[in-house]
Structure formats: C-alpha cells, structure tokens
C-alpha cells in the first residue's frame, strides 16, 4: 500500500468515526450511548479522532447519566430559557425549518439512496441524522458524499452552534464535545481543501 | 461503537455500490453542485403537490380549508367554496397560522420533569410515549386510591378537548372537567339564552347578518376578533346599507363603520338595554303579535321596566336620553330586521353579566326578531352517530351551561364537582378549581391535565394558579408550544398540529348545518401525537380500554361516517358535507314542531325557575363597582391576527401585530404627561406591575378606562418571538367577580394606573429575530 492510499484510508476512517461519534452524541441519549460511555468505547473513539486530527481530546466532566439527559433536553429540545442550539443543519443555514437547505439535503440523500426510517420521529436534517447518513455513506464507499455532508452541512452547524452549546451547557459533556467536533470538522475540511 | 439504526441505505444504492458502480455516480443530483438549493425545476411538478381537506385550528371559527403540500411541507392553505365557514376565503391568521407547524420552538417529544427539580425550572428528560403514559397512569391511580377519581381535574380548549375535557374525565370518573371557553368567556350568554329561549348559542353566533337592516353592537368586537364568515356577512350587510350603532366605551374598528357610536360608561350597558326595553314597551313599539305568540311574562316585564326610563339611564350611562329614545325608535322602525347581536367574550363585570345578556335577548324578542329573518336564526348541529361504546360512568359536563344545579344522585359513586354551590348554573368553572388545589376544600384536587389551556394567560390571579400547581401530585400539560405553564408540568405531552393529524368530525350548528373533517397534510414532523391517540393509550393503561373500542382514528372516523352513508375515503375527497337547516320559526311550524325548549315552550321574559331559586326572574341593573381614585378600569379585547395567547410566537402573525398598546384618552394622557408611543408601566389595584407597554394616546376612548389587546406580555424566554412583547392583561387581573347564576368570572373589575419612566425595550424586528434565532 503506498503512502497516499494509506493516508486516504486513514482520513476516511477518521471521518467515519467522527460522524458516528456525532450521531451518537446528538441524538436522544440512549442505551447504546450509555453503554459506550460506561464501557470506554466512546472515549477510545474520541482519542482516535483526536490523535488523527491533532485536536486535543476533550475533557469531559464525570457527570451522571441523568445530567446528560437533562442537558440534552435543555440544549437541543426544550428549555424555558430558550433552546440554545436547534439541532437542524437547515435551520443553521436558513433560519427556517424545512427550508431550501433542508430540501437540498433531502435531494442529496435521496440521490445517494439514503432515506429516513419511519420511526425516527424528528426532522431529517437533525444533526445526528446527517452524521449518521455520512457514516453510512462512508461505509458504503461514498466518502466523497460523506465529505459533502460534513463540510457543507455539519461544519456550518457546529460553527454556528458550538459556541452556544459551550456557553449554555451545565453538564460539562455537550460543551466540550461540541467544541471538539467543531475543531475536528474544521480540520477535516482543511485537509480536504489541501 | 454500536451502529445507530435510524437511517438505512436503500436496496438500489446498496446494490449499485456492491457492484462498484458508485465511482461513476454523480456526487450531486442532476449535477447541481449547490448543497443549499434543491436542483431547479425538480420540486414543483404536478405530481409532487398534494391537497388535503382540513379545518383551521388557529381560532375557533374553524373554517374549512384545503392545505397544499409540497416536499413534505404545507406551502399554502385556502378556504374552499363548499364550506359554509370559509366560503373560499381565509383570514390572515388562518394563512399565517401554518407557520406554527414549522416553529422550531415546538414541543417535539414527551418530557418528564426530573425528580426533585422545581416546577418551572425546566429540568426535563426525554421519555418514550410508553414511559410517559405509564408515569401518568401510576400517578393517577395513586391519587384515585388516596383521594378518589374526582381529585384529578381536566382543562381543555381546542378540537382535541373532547378527549381530555369530556371523554376521558367521563370514563375516568371526574366531574372536575372545565373549559375556559365557558366560565371565562361565554357562560352568561349561554345560561341566559338557555333560560330565555330554551336554546344555547354555542360555538356559532346565529345572527342573520345577510337579512338584517339595522345592527346594534354592544361591546362586540367584530372586525377585531376576526371570524371569517361572520366578518364577510357583516361587511356585506353594511355594503347593502344596513345601519350600524356601536355601544362601546372605545371607538373600536366596528365603531369606525358605524352611523352612531355611543361611548357608554363602562359597566352600565344593562341600564341602556333596560331603557330600550322601556321605550319599546311604553311607546308600544314592540312587535305585539310576536310577543303574544312566542313569549311568556310580558306583563311582568312591562311592569318591571317601567322604572328604567331613558332619563334614568342617561344619568348612569352618559348616553343622552334623546339618543336612547331615537335608537329605540329606529330599531323598532326596522324590526324585525333589526338585531342586537350577542358577542362571544361576555364575562365582564360578574353579577351584572347575566342581567346584561338577559336584557339583550329581551330587547331582541321585543323586536320580534328571534327565529325570524334578519334577527337570530335557529341552528342545530347535524347528526352523526357516535362510535358505539359503553355508557361512560360520568356524563361529560365541561361544556354545559344548559341547566340548573347538577344534582348528584344519592347512590352515585361520584362526588359533585368542587365548584358546586358557588353558582346556580350547571357549567363547570375553570377558575373555581384553583382554590381546592390550595385549600383542599371541599375536597382536594391533586392532579391536573391542561390540554391547550394557557393557564397563566387565561385564568385570573396568576400567582394563585402557580401556588396551586405547586400543590399538585400530578400536572400534565398537553400542548404544541412550550408556553409558560407547560414548563411547570410533571409530564409534557407534545401534540401534533392540525396539519399533521386526524381529529374527530366537526359537526357545526349553522344556518347550513355541516360536517367537516380533518386530514393530515403530512406526517408529524416530530414524535408527537394527537389527543385522540393520547386519550386512548392513556385510557387503556388506566383500565378503561372498554371505552376506547376503536382500533385507530381512521377506523373510528369511517365507522361514524358510515352512519350517514358516507365513508372516510368519500370524505377525503369532499371535506365537507352540508345539510339543510331550519333557520326560522316557519320552518319548524310547517312540521308542527317548536324549537323553544323552555318549560313553557315560549320565550321566557320572566324565569319562574329563577324566582323559585331566589334569583331575579327579570333582569335588573346592578350599579358598577367603582375603582380606586386615580386608576382606570382595564378593558381588553382582541387582535384580528391573534388568538388568545396562542399565536404570539408565530413570526408571520407577529409581523402583522407585534406588540400591544395601552389606549388612554388624550385628556388623561395630557394630565399625566404621557406622550403617544411612550413606554409606560401598568400597575393595578393590588400593586402588580406589567410592561413596558407603549401608550396609544387617542380620542377614541373615554377618560375613565384604558384598553389593551389580550394575549401579549408572554414571560417565556423559550418563545423567542413572543417573550416580553407588550403587557399581559391576565397578569393584571388579580381579582374577578363571580356571576352567581352562570359561574362566569367577571374580569373587568380591575383597575390600573400608568406610570412613566418605563424603558424602551427596543424589541428587534421580527424578521431580525427569525434571522438571528439562537445565535450566541
């Protein structure tokens, strides 16, 4: 394997892992995330991404599971002091739900054969759904499409909302992770551009 | 890492990639490399566009609409000609209301308050529907075990309130179910109508605008409280040349169209109406033949109103006696095509309200217009059989104003509602449930459901309501947006919007009775449910499954429609089914039937049943309660683009009307040194302060009162647009006066002073908020 191919495979793997981490982080906290946190898989994956991109590993507070659940609701779902970060990539771009960016994203995903399962129960441009789509496309060999998702949709969301999450997060979990993912996405985009 | 499987690759693409063909595929669809715009010309082909019948839920006129959907999003709603409530037209709030479905602040999935966190602090975790239902059922059963089923109360407002303010309480066994649309809105007019005519008014004011030639509005805010076809008919009547008289302390929108504006002193309308009755009778201008044929108690009425001369009324109302006589004579000259329409929100002054409404009906009857072209027509709802189910343990009573005290049978397993004994009528009164939550008397209310009722912008004495909520063992809020009261709930159940759900059939009593149906324009955007689904799921967990025998909403609707020879599929393509009405006495008399369901079968000027109960059998004038010196009576009203406090996070509607003003007379403003558009504080008789609110200095209001539009002044930062704009009249209503007959809560016996020095809140333009939403 020559160096260029090896580097490409490493970059692809980093992208895939990053997208899976984003998907796991921003969807409703579930048993899988809880197990990955408790079992250390989440931390290992974070360390791999950090190593590959040169971004510092985020220092996550040792908070209880309930604190993560509450923080997720307060940051992304419902909050009496307003939701700091509506988790929709189309909204980040358009200030409108189901606007032109979400439409374009929908067309893009359909074009690549990705569709939303019936039980998802949220908008298709939820940041967790977009990341999951990217991970699937990477696994299917369409890393180019996954890169579009990361650069055109996810990175703008993180650029806009990561600071808001950092400012509003009481848990010590979502704030550091959001800043980490923003940095990683920027790094991936920079490398792509290079 | 475990794979999260909410996305899947379609077979075609997986197959293509497995064959290695993906390298040849274009990265962007149709080679259109713009991730922020869909490929041009691809999205609005005819096949992409669907239409679905629905009825609007933004206000309670419930206009029939057709929703046009493209790309999974409703792009437009319109009225349609076949629907008697819209006739092909729709108002601005109906059009703009679509934005609520796509409001990013919507509630998205069930939430459960974290144990130990304070109500209102916003500490929630997401829950599955099963978890939420189980949590609620467990708490309800605990309350039932300790206090009885009656200790769970239910509030509801909106189409789905059938399930949470009527059906589920009936199945569960709680008489404590109430709608604010009764005791905080229409109770006096309904009770007065039932006892005078033997018929209520209900959700559709049956004024024969199309046939009338003379209209007298008593504090009726038509044109401000925009009800689509009502406004259409009103406008056509004026265009046709009908004369208009407006009685209002304020020069309202309707007054701007009037031939006569009578700026009456607040709280004295009953005196004016009694004086009109006096003139009609003493000058023998009433319709004697009609009175003879259709009414009972005229002699008692004539003797009673002899005391209420125009000169007497002039002293009280500030309306000159000559004007009172002139208007009475003009009404009589146009009778029976002269009408005094009943308004909707009539809980103004408490004990006086029932007398005002009775007086209004009596003047109409003296003009001979009830059941006659140009006056009030009769309307009955079309009949569609209920889905067969076992009889509910307790008859739903939340919407009823139709009779005397609800007597509980000696062998009934249920206690009467907690408001029994506080007033004569049979309605349940929303505001009277609050005190038992605090005091436990006559028995405790420990659980509460609030379906679509904004507790802090509906029920007076807001702080008392908050105190009551803190005493509950269970508070469930069912809503679409995170209103302030929602964030006090133990469990939040997010409802799908009217564009995303089916609902029960809407059977409309109307001049043309009709049935209309609601079909979802697209699936729910989030993990939300309809009230229909929630009630069934919860009912089954409570062991009440026998009362919910249907399999799903489509089967339920199809079964009901089959009783009239229709079907869900037929209705899907039709939207509305109309019936033939019987609007006038003549239509009934042809069938030897009598539409008046009073004990005498006549219009009862004198109500014997009230006399027997120690109540005034004839309407009397009660002198108004006077406010503290230096304060102004607080009047409130409606906006044509807003509904109650429900629509103030809607960017489209807030663009049209983004904050309320406090109207004050030019004379008083000059005395206080208040300039037009200046921000002021409002402080009421109990020291409660609201605002800042902008002053509107105007000649259009009397000097002894001020006026503001209801529904503004939200205190919910989560509602990014609504929050902090304008002032709340409800928060200034720290007292109410109970009507001892109907149970209505008179809300206009509150007074405020205007205080200078309020800062300009410098509200950003709505468009800017939309653009900047959630930016750090």
């Amino acid at each position: 394997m020559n160096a260029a191919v090896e580097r490409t495979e490493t970059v692809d793997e980093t992208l895939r892992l990053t997208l899976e981490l984003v998907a796991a982080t921003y969807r409703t906290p579930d048993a899988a995330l809880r197990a990955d946190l408790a079992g250390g898989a989440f931390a290992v994956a974070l360390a791999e991404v950090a190593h590959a991109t040169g971004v510092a590993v985020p220092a996550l507070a040792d908070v209880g599971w309930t604190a993560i659940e509450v923080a997720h609701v307060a940051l992304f779902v419902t909050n009496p002091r307003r939701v700091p970060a509506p988790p929709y990539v189309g909204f980040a771009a358009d200030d409108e739900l189901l606007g032109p960016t979400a439409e374009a994203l929908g067309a893009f995903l359909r074009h690549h054969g990705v569709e939303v399962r019936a039980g998802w129960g949220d908008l298709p441009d939820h940041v967790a759904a977009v990341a999951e789509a990217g991970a699937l496309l990477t696994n299917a060999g369409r890393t180019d499409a996954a890169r579009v998702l990361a650069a055109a949709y996810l990175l703008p969301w993180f650029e806009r909302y990561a600071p808001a999450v950092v400012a509003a997060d009481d848990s010590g979990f979502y704030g550091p992770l959001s800043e980490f993912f923003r940095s990683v996405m920027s790094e991936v985009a920079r490398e792509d551009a290079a | 890492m475990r794979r999260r499987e909410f996305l899947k690759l379609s077979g075609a693409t997986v197959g293509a990639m497995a064959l290695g063909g993906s390298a040849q595929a274009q990265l962007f669809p149709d080679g259109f490399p713009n991730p922020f715009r869909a490929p041009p010309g691809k999205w609005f082909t005819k096949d992409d566009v669907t239409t679905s019948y629905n009825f609007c839920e933004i206000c309670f006129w419930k206009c029939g609409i057709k929703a046009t959907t493209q790309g999974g999003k409703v792009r437009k709603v319109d009225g349609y000609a076949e629907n008697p409530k819209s006739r092909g037209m729709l108002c601005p709030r109906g059009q703009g209301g679509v934005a609520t479905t796509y409001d990013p602040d919507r509630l998205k999935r069930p939430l459960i308050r974290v144990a130990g966190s304070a109500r209102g602090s916003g500490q929630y975790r997401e829950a599955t529907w099963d978890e939420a239902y189980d949590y609620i059922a467990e708490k309800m059963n605990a309350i039932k075990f300790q206090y009885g089923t009656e200790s769970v109360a239910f509030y509801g407002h909106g189409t789905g309130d059938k399930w949470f303010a009527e059906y589920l309480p009936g199945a569960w066994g709680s008489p404590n179910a109430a709608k604010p649309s009764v005791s905080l809105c229409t109770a006096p007019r309904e009770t007065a109508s039932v006892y005078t005519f033997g018929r209520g008014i209900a959700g559709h004011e049956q004024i024969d605008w199309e046939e009338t030639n003379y209209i007298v509005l008593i504090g009726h805010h038509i044109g401000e409280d925009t009800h689509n076809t009502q406004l259409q008919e009103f406008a056509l009547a004026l265009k046709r040349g009908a004369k208009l008289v407006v009685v209002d302390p304020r020069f309202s929108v309707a007054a701007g169209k009037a031939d006569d504006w009578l700026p009456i002193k607040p709280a004295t309308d009953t005196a004016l109406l009694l004086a009109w009755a006096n003139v009609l009778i003493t000058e023998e201008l009433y319709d004697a033949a009609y009175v003879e044929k259709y009414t009972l108690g005229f002699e008692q009425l004539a003797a009673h109103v002899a005391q209420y001369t125009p000169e007497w009324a002039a002293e009280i109302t500030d309306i000159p006696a000559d004007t009172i006589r002139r208007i009475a004579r003009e009404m009589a000259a146009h009778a029976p095509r002269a009408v005094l329409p009943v308004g909707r929100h009539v809980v103004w002054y408490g004990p006086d309200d029932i007398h005002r409404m009775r007086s209004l009906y009596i003047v109409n009857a003296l003009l001979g217009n009830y059941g006659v072209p140009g006056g009030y027509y009769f309307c009955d709802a079309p009949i569609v059989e209920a889905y067969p189910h076992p009889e509910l343990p307790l008859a739903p009573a939340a919407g009823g104003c139709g009779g005397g005290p609800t007597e509980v049978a000696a062998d009934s397993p249920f206690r009467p509602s907690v408001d029994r004994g506080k007033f004569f009528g049979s309605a349940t009164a929303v505001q009277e449930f609050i005190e038992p939550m605090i005091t436990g008397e006559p028995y405790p209310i420990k659980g509460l459901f609030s379906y679509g009722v904004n507790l802090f912008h509906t029920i007076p004495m807001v702080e008392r309501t908050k105190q009551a909520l803190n005493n509950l063992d269970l508070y469930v809020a069912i809503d679409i947006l995170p209103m302030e009261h929602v964030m006090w709930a133990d469990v939040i159940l997010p409802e799908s919007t009217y564009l995303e759900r089916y609902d029960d059939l809407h059977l409309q009593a109307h001049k043309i009775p009709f049935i209309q149906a609601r079909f979802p324009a697209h699936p729910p955007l989030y993990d939300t449910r309809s009230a229909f689904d929630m009630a069934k799921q919860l009912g089954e967990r409570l062991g009440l499954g026998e009362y919910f025998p249907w399999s799903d909403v489509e089967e339920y609707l199809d079964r009901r429609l089959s009783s009239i020879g229709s079907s869900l599929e037929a209705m899907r393509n039709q939207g509305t089914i109309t019936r033939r009405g019987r609007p006038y006495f003549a239509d009934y008399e042809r069938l030897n039937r009598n539409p008046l369901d009073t004990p005498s079968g006549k219009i009862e000027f004198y109500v014997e049943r009230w006399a027997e109960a120690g109540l005034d059998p004839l309407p009397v004038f009660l002198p108004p309660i006077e406010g503290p010196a230096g304060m102004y009576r607080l009047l409130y009203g409606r906006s044509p683009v807003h509904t109650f406090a429900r629509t103030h996070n809607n960017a489209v509607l807030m663009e049209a009307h983004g904050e309320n003003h406090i109207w004050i007379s030019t004379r008083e403003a000059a005395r206080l040194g208040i300039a037009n558009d200046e921000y002021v504080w409002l402080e009421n008789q109990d020291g409660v302060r609201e605002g800042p609110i902008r002053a509107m200095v105007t000649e259009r209001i009397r000097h002894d009162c001020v006026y503001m539009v209801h529904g503004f002044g939200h205190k919910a930062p989560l509602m990014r647009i609504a929050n902090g704009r304008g002032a709340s009249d409800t928060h200034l209503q720290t007292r109410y006066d109970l009507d001892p007959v109907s149970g209505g809560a008179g809300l206009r016996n509150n007074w405020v002073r205007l205080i200078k020095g309020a800062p300009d809140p410098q509200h950003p333009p709505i468009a800017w908020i939309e653009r900047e939403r959630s930016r750090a």
Side-chain angles (χ1 to χ4, degrees):
Chain A
M1 187 179 290
N2 64 44
V5 171
E6 188 174 354
R7 181 184 171 284
T8 300
E9 288 185 352
T10 301
V11 169
D12 289 352
E13 176 58 16
T14 300
L15 178 63
R16 183 192 65 77
L17 203 50
T18 302
L19 292 168
E20 290 204 357
L21 282 166
V22 170
T25 301
Y26 292 95
R27 72 167 304 189
T28 298
D30 58 5
L33 175 63
R34 192 171 190 175
D36 287 340
L37 287 171
F42 194 89
V44 169
L46 279 181
E48 283 184 32
V49 171
H51 176 74
T53 58
V55 177
V57 178
L60 302 183
D62 185 16
V63 294
W65 181 247
T66 299
I68 290 176
E69 289 185 305
V70 170
H72 187 270
V73 171
L75 292 167
F76 308 116
V77 184
T78 300
N79 185 322
R81 292 173 294 280
R82 92 174 38 167
V83 173
Y88 307 108
V89 300
F91 191 79
D94 305 330
D95 292 300
E96 177 187 358
L97 290 181
L98 301 178
T101 298
E103 276 191 14
L105 172 64
F108 185 84
L109 293 176
R110 280 193 297 277
H111 178 68
H112 289 283
V114 180
E115 58 190 54
V116 179
R117 285 189 191 273
W120 168 227
D122 210 316
L123 300 186
D125 67 336
H126 191 289
V127 66
V130 176
E132 181 73 13
L136 287 172
L137 288 167
T138 307
N139 284 338
R142 290 309 304 257
T143 311
D144 56 344
R147 284 205 184 94
V148 170
L149 293 181
Y153 298 105
L154 290 171
L155 177 57
W157 186 87
F158 280 106
E159 286 181 334
R160 176 168 178 178
Y161 287 121
V165 176
V166 169
D169 178 35
D170 293 330
S171 71
F173 182 75
Y174 288 103
L177 281 175
S178 295
E179 179 53 30
F180 174 73
F181 290 133
R182 188 192 66 76
S183 300
V184 169
M185 291 283 176
S186 295
E187 186 61 24
V188 169
R190 192 187 61 75
E191 286 193 7
D192 278 354
Chain B
M1 294 292 294
R2 297 189 174 98
R3 166 74 54 216
R4 274 78 188 166
E5 294 186 329
F6 50 81
L7 290 153
K8 63 183 180 183
L9 291 171
S10 73
T13 304
V14 170
M17 286 192 285
L19 293 171
S22 62
Q24 304 303 316
Q26 293 177 329
L27 182 55
F28 287 96
D30 295 346
F32 186 74
N34 185 342
F36 306 112
R37 289 287 178 274
K42 185 69 179 174
W43 307 106
F44 289 88
T45 62
K46 186 178 174 186
D47 291 343
D48 290 335
V49 178
T50 59
T51 58
S52 51
Y53 286 103
N54 206 312
F55 51 93
C56 186
E57 191 76 15
I58 298 301
C59 87
F60 294 96
W61 203 244
K62 297 188 188 299
C63 297
I65 56 174
K66 276 205 289 195
T68 302
T69 305
Q70 182 278 327
K73 186 174 185 179
V74 174
R75 307 287 172 172
K76 184 79 163 66
V77 293
D78 296 289
Y80 57 102
E82 299 80 5
N83 184 276
K85 279 277 191 178
S86 65
R87 295 187 194 145
M89 300 184 201
L90 203 57
C91 75
R93 61 182 167 184
Q95 297 279 0
V98 174
T100 298
T101 296
Y102 309 103
D103 186 332
D105 291 341
R106 273 183 62 183
L107 298 167
K108 302 176 180 70
R109 49 188 63 92
L111 301 173
I112 294 178
R113 186 163 61 88
V114 172
S117 66
R119 286 198 164 101
S121 67
Q123 298 284 298
Y124 287 92
R125 62 179 175 84
E126 294 184 38
T128 64
W129 281 94
D130 284 343
E131 190 181 2
Y133 292 141
D134 288 343
Y135 181 99
I136 295 167
E138 184 181 335
K139 291 277 189 180
M140 287 178 75
N141 283 325
I143 292 170
K144 175 183 175 181
F145 180 74
Q146 188 169 357
Y147 303 101
T149 54
E150 305 92 337
S151 288
V152 178
F154 298 82
Y155 289 161
H157 201 195
T159 300
D161 68 17
K162 167 178 178 171
W163 302 106
F164 279 98
E166 296 177 13
Y167 200 89
L168 184 62
W172 166 253
S174 176
N176 295 307
K179 303 180 183 184
S181 53
V182 179
S183 67
L184 295 175
C185 195
T186 63
R189 79 170 197 185
E190 297 298 323
T191 304
S193 181
V194 166
Y195 280 91
T196 305
F197 301 121
R199 309 170 62 89
I201 301 292
H204 176 78
E205 292 82 11
Q206 50 265 45
I207 308 303
D208 206 5
W209 304 97
E210 294 167 309
E211 300 287 341
T212 198
N213 294 327
Y214 198 94
I215 302 163
V216 180
L217 300 175
I218 309 281
H220 191 306
H221 291 168
I222 191 168
E224 293 170 349
D225 189 1
T226 310
H227 289 149
N228 185 357
T229 44
Q230 184 185 58
L231 198 54
Q232 291 182 39
E233 291 168 358
F234 174 66
L236 289 172
L238 297 186
K239 185 178 178 185
R240 192 166 37 74
K243 284 205 70 175
L244 176 64
V245 177
V246 170
V247 180
D248 201 315
R250 182 175 63 92
F251 191 79
S252 62
V253 167
K257 314 283 183 192
D259 297 281
D260 280 286
W261 170 45
L262 310 186
I264 193 167
K265 180 181 178 183
T268 67
D269 309 75
T270 306
L272 176 64
L273 288 159
L274 290 168
W276 277 338
N278 171 290
V279 175
L280 292 173
I281 292 173
T282 58
E283 297 188 11
E284 297 186 351
L285 299 173
Y286 64 94
D287 188 331
Y290 181 96
V291 166
E292 172 66 21
K293 183 176 181 181
Y294 293 116
T295 73
L296 182 75
F298 176 74
E299 288 181 5
Q300 290 106 316
L301 175 70
H304 176 68
V305 301
Q307 62 188 306
Y308 300 127
T309 64
E311 285 71 23
W312 166 83
E315 288 289 318
I316 293 168
T317 63
D318 284 354
I319 310 294
D322 288 349
T323 302
I324 295 173
R325 282 200 172 82
R326 175 173 62 82
I327 300 296
R329 290 165 185 162
E330 288 180 8
M331 284 192 278
H334 290 83
R337 293 176 186 270
V339 67
L340 295 81
V342 63
R344 183 163 282 213
H345 178 90
V346 294
V347 287
W348 296 352
Y349 308 114
D352 173 71
D353 293 334
I354 193 76
H355 297 293
R356 187 179 72 254
M357 299 316 301
R358 283 264 296 145
S359 303
L360 182 96
Y361 294 141
I362 285 171
V363 171
N364 277 294
L366 290 171
L367 295 169
N369 72 22
Y370 191 78
V372 170
Y376 283 61
Y377 56 75
F378 301 120
C379 60
D380 292 303
I383 295 171
V384 178
E385 294 295 330
Y387 192 106
H389 62 79
E391 185 179 356
L392 299 178
L394 202 57
C401 302
T406 305
E407 300 297 341
V408 176
D411 60 348
S412 170
F414 301 107
R415 289 170 288 181
S417 59
V418 288
D419 56 1
R420 287 309 86 190
K422 291 189 173 181
F423 52 92
F424 174 80
S426 63
T428 44
V430 163
Q431 77 280 355
E432 302 305 320
F433 291 5
I434 302 292
E435 206 65 26
M437 296 179 196
I438 299 170
T439 65
E441 298 296 337
Y443 57 83
I445 295 291
K446 300 302 289 184
L448 176 67
F449 282 75
S450 179
Y451 170 84
V453 178
N454 190 330
L455 301 183
F456 301 160
H457 283 272
T458 304
I459 302 174
M461 302 171 70
V462 174
E463 291 306 315
R464 183 185 70 151
T465 304
K466 291 180 178 177
Q467 184 187 353
L469 293 182
N470 272 328
N471 278 6
L472 296 175
D473 291 346
L474 173 68
Y475 171 36
V476 180
I478 303 166
D479 221 307
I480 286 169
L481 285 165
M483 308 285 190
E484 291 143 85
H485 70 286
V486 169
M487 303 309 291
W488 283 61
D490 299 313
V491 183
I492 299 172
L493 301 181
E495 190 186 28
S496 307
T497 73
Y498 65 107
L499 296 173
E500 300 172 324
R501 68 182 198 236
Y502 289 99
D503 260 314
D504 204 351
L505 301 169
H506 181 63
L507 312 178
Q508 183 63 59
H510 194 273
K511 199 172 183 181
I512 305 168
F514 66 95
I515 303 154
Q516 61 184 359
R518 169 171 288 160
F519 294 93
H522 56 64
L525 296 182
Y526 307 102
D527 191 9
T528 59
R529 303 270 170 89
S530 68
F532 179 97
D533 289 334
M534 291 184 225
K536 177 177 168 64
Q537 293 294 319
L538 193 53
E540 288 174 348
R541 278 169 172 77
L542 292 166
L544 306 171
E546 63 179 313
Y547 301 111
F548 299 88
W550 41 84
S551 57
D552 58 36
V553 70
E554 293 189 345
E555 191 264 335
Y556 172 92
L557 292 170
D558 197 54
R559 177 75 174 263
R560 289 199 71 190
L561 286 164
S562 70
S563 74
I564 56 167
S566 185
S567 68
L568 187 62
E569 280 318 299
M571 204 61 175
R572 196 184 299 278
N573 297 315
Q574 190 174 4
T576 296
I577 296 173
T578 56
R579 293 286 191 244
R580 186 178 170 197
R582 289 192 297 269
Y584 306 123
F585 271 120
D587 298 303
Y588 283 84
E589 288 163 355
R590 274 195 293 274
L591 302 169
N592 275 329
R593 292 182 58 189
N594 182 1
L596 305 174
D597 192 22
T598 55
S600 64
K602 295 202 170 190
I603 298 169
E604 297 193 348
F605 290 147
Y606 184 93
V607 181
E608 187 68 44
R609 289 172 289 171
W610 288 5
E612 291 167 359
L615 303 170
D616 291 308
L618 289 159
V620 298
F621 171 69
L622 301 174
I625 297 168
E626 299 296 341
M631 302 188 99
Y632 305 94
R633 188 183 291 272
L634 178 61
L635 306 180
Y636 51 83
R638 302 294 186 208
S639 164
V641 299
H642 288 295
T643 299
F644 310 129
R646 292 178 166 215
T647 51
H648 297 74
N649 209 49
N650 181 309
V652 176
L653 300 179
M654 285 293 273
E655 278 283 1
H657 189 181
E659 64 180 299
N660 57 355
H661 292 65
I662 187 78
W663 293 31
I664 184 168
S665 74
T666 306
R667 187 189 90 178
E668 292 302 300
R671 197 173 64 75
L672 297 170
I674 291 172
N676 191 43
D677 263 355
E678 176 181 345
Y679 277 99
V680 296
W681 298 108
L682 301 179
E683 190 173 277
N684 81 349
Q685 72 278 353
D686 294 318
V688 171
R689 186 174 278 205
E690 268 290 307
I693 183 172
R694 215 186 272 273
M696 175 172 151
V697 178
T698 177
E699 298 286 352
R700 292 173 57 187
I701 191 165
R702 287 172 56 96
H703 61 268
D704 50 4
C705 54
V706 292
Y707 168 85
M708 62 198 288
V709 169
H710 169 74
F712 288 87
H714 283 256
K715 293 152 186 65
L718 178 50
M719 297 175 66
R720 300 157 219 244
I721 295 175
N723 185 48
R725 287 187 181 254
S728 163
D729 55 322
T730 307
H731 282 72
L732 293 165
Q733 290 162 353
T734 52
R735 65 168 284 173
Y736 65 88
D737 291 276
L738 188 69
D739 173 4
V741 180
S742 73
L747 300 174
R748 293 187 177 178
N749 290 331
N750 287 280
W751 289 265
V752 296
R753 63 167 55 92
L754 280 65
I755 299 172
K756 284 176 67 68
D760 181 342
Q762 301 189 326
H763 296 303
I766 304 295
W768 184 89
I769 294 179
E770 281 291 271
R771 197 170 56 247
E772 296 296 314
R773 269 185 197 246
S774 298
R775 279 193 197 282

